[in-house]
Amino acid sequence: MSTEEVPRPYRPEMLKNDGETRRGDFAPAPVALPLPVYDNHTHFDFGDDPIDLHAALDAAESVGIAGAVQVGCDLPSSRFTVAAVDADSRLLGAVAIHPNDAPELADAGELDAALAEIDAMAAHPRIRAIGETGLDYFRTGEGGVAAQHHSFREHLDIAKRRDLALQIHCRDAHVDVLKILAEVGAPSRLVFHCFSGDAELARICNENGWYMSFSGTVTFKNAHDLREALSVADPALILAETDAPYLTPHPFRGRPNASYMLPYTVQSMGQFLNRDLEEFCQLLRTNTEAVYGSWAS
């Protein structure tokens, strides 16, 4: 599933003083996919060091990743996203305030202003999604729940008004996410980013036509519930992502993730589903373009 080479270096930490690539940081490049697909959720601006955006996309393209959705989580990363989609046509974008940031902004009296800026950025023609938004009760205590709910509802409103897809971040909060979606209604294209639910949530997504985006976590040895959900998911609603630099797929857990690593997850998903890899890549490509539209326009 992998080559002996690492991808071309595009982060400073990938280079020694003599210019040689360090093998201990980034994993070997996977064998290229037989048909190009898209990484529908990644963060090129995250990490300890700056990134050469074009070189990172070149590395991804060399193994069959035709493009990616760069995702913002706060105002700085959303501003980066708008600049990035202008800088390289292989990128589309998503902008939002992460649920973990909503309580802090609310306490400072800045949440509504931040949401207004997100709404303005969403007018850019290559911003095709609102996200990542949703609910996260893992890091936010009870005192921040109201702000998260308000922020989530406002993001839903932006996505529906602008006819954009919506990428949901959900951690320890599936019940309330589903409750709010039932109350206010979902946009026409909704993605559970880094799907973390079980087979029952997959069935709910099937019933509602909601997309399920699987990350490197589906390759983890103990991810039995995720693979069961994948087996239940309507094939027409399956997507794949890296969530880079996080959630690096097995067997490279612990190393930084990147869009060029997506073939490891795609290959694993295809094998688990007993699908021909080329046909599975075509499915993922079709599904991704159904959510975000064409990268060429």
Side-chain angles (χ1 to χ4, degrees):
M1 293 175 64
S2 67
T3 69
E4 292 300 316
E5 302 296 327
V6 296
R8 68 199 73 186
Y10 56 83
R11 280 190 189 272
E13 75 269 22
M14 295 183 71
L15 298 176
K16 289 182 177 179
N17 292 334
D18 58 7
E20 292 182 0
T21 302
R22 270 204 321 248
R23 292 179 179 270
D25 288 339
F26 278 69
V31 172
L33 294 172
L35 191 86
V37 302
Y38 301 101
D39 180 358
N40 97 108
H41 188 111
T42 191
H43 305 279
F44 283 110
D45 55 320
F46 287 8
D48 296 332
D49 295 287
I51 191 172
D52 182 329
L53 183 65
H54 303 301
L57 287 162
D58 287 346
E61 190 173 15
S62 71
V63 294
I65 307 304
V69 179
Q70 156 63 31
V71 179
C73 293
D74 54 23
L75 291 181
S77 63
S78 294
R79 292 166 187 153
F80 171 90
T81 296
V82 173
V85 299
D86 282 335
D88 198 302
S89 62
R90 291 170 291 186
L91 288 181
L92 296 178
V95 294
I97 302 299
H98 194 281
N100 285 330
D101 290 342
E104 209 171 288
L105 288 167
D107 288 344
E110 299 172 355
L111 179 56
D112 287 336
L115 290 167
E117 184 172 345
I118 293 296
D119 188 16
M121 284 189 274
H124 189 292
R126 294 189 69 80
I127 298 300
R128 303 288 178 82
I130 299 300
E132 57 190 275
T133 181
L135 303 177
D136 187 325
Y137 296 164
F138 181 75
R139 291 190 180 90
T140 299
E142 188 175 336
V145 167
Q148 284 200 7
H149 284 209
H150 172 68
S151 180
F152 184 30
R153 290 170 185 271
E154 291 298 307
H155 282 91
L156 284 163
D157 179 66
I158 294 169
K160 288 188 286 188
R161 279 193 292 104
R162 294 194 176 277
D163 190 25
L164 296 174
L166 185 123
Q167 291 193 356
I168 287 185
H169 168 103
C170 181
R171 190 168 186 184
D172 296 348
H174 286 111
V175 171
D176 282 356
V177 163
L178 294 174
K179 182 179 179 182
I180 289 174
L181 290 173
E183 287 176 358
V184 304
S188 59
R189 302 175 307 284
L190 183 142
V191 179
F192 276 83
H193 135 70
C194 188
F195 186 85
S196 59
D198 55 13
E200 179 56 30
L201 182 59
R203 293 186 184 96
I204 292 171
C205 289
N206 289 345
E207 292 167 4
N208 289 278
W210 297 336
Y211 290 83
M212 293 155 273
S213 180
F214 291 87
S215 69
T217 54
V218 77
T219 72
F220 295 173
K221 290 182 177 179
N222 62 349
H224 307 295
D225 287 350
L226 271 183
R227 285 188 287 274
E228 183 183 2
L230 175 60
S231 69
V232 167
D234 181 343
L237 299 174
I238 293 173
L239 304 174
E241 66 173 85
T242 59
D243 197 24
Y246 313 113
L247 307 181
T248 308
H250 176 80
F252 303 108
R253 238 176 131 173
R255 299 195 196 187
N257 201 3
S259 284
Y260 82 86
M261 296 281 285
L262 185 60
Y264 288 116
T265 299
V266 171
Q267 291 162 3
S268 178
M269 292 168 66
Q271 288 173 358
F272 176 75
L273 294 172
N274 197 27
R275 298 287 297 258
D276 174 81
L277 185 56
E278 185 171 346
E279 291 179 358
F280 186 58
C281 288
Q282 181 61 65
L283 174 75
L284 291 175
R285 186 183 181 99
T286 298
N287 292 351
T288 309
E289 291 180 343
V291 177
Y292 303 106
S294 171
W295 264 250
S297 60

